[in-house]
């Protein structure tokens, strides 16, 4: 399922990943380069499997671990209220 950030979330890519600002409570979240690949893939309309494949290709990690990492990140972003 593609990812969407709430209207209250601002994003900025940096040299070290992506920074998210929750404008409702002023909290910052810093995503590392692997999380940035995941978020970019999902925001572009990709599925979780696409994001895992992008991690495997870019970082040469195991497909099973990549999918688990994607699922964990997406769950945390949704549970925090940053994304739907």
């Amino acid at each position: 399922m593609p990812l969407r950030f709430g209207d209250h979330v601002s994003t900025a890519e940096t040299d070290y990943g992506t920074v998210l600002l929750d404008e409702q409570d002023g909290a910052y979240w810093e995503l590392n380069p692997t999380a940035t690949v995941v978020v970019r893939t999902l925001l572009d309309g990709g599925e979780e499997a696409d994001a895992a494949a992008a991690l495997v290709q870019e970082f040469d990690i195991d497909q099973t671990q990549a999918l688990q990492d994607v699922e964990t990140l997406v769950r945390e972003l949704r549970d925090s209220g940053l994304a739907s």
Side-chain angles (χ1 to χ4, degrees):
M1 168 184 235
L3 188 75
R4 290 183 22 193
F5 286 119
D7 292 337
H8 63 283
V9 177
S10 296
T11 65
E13 288 199 25
T14 70
D15 292 338
Y16 306 104
T18 301
V19 176
L20 308 177
L21 169 62
D22 183 341
E23 296 172 7
Q24 289 180 334
D25 64 13
Y28 281 92
W29 295 63
E30 186 173 348
L31 305 179
N32 64 21
T34 56
T36 297
V37 168
V38 171
V39 166
R40 190 179 308 129
T41 301
L42 297 174
L43 288 175
D44 287 344
E47 300 291 330
E48 290 182 9
D50 300 321
L55 289 180
V56 169
Q57 181 177 6
E58 183 145 344
F59 297 102
D60 192 33
I61 65 171
D62 176 75
Q63 176 71 26
T64 301
Q65 184 63 55
L67 190 53
Q68 288 175 350
D69 291 349
V70 169
E71 290 169 350
T72 298
L73 175 62
V74 169
R75 182 175 55 252
E76 289 177 0
L77 289 171
R78 289 187 172 136
D79 287 350
S80 70
L82 294 172
S84 61

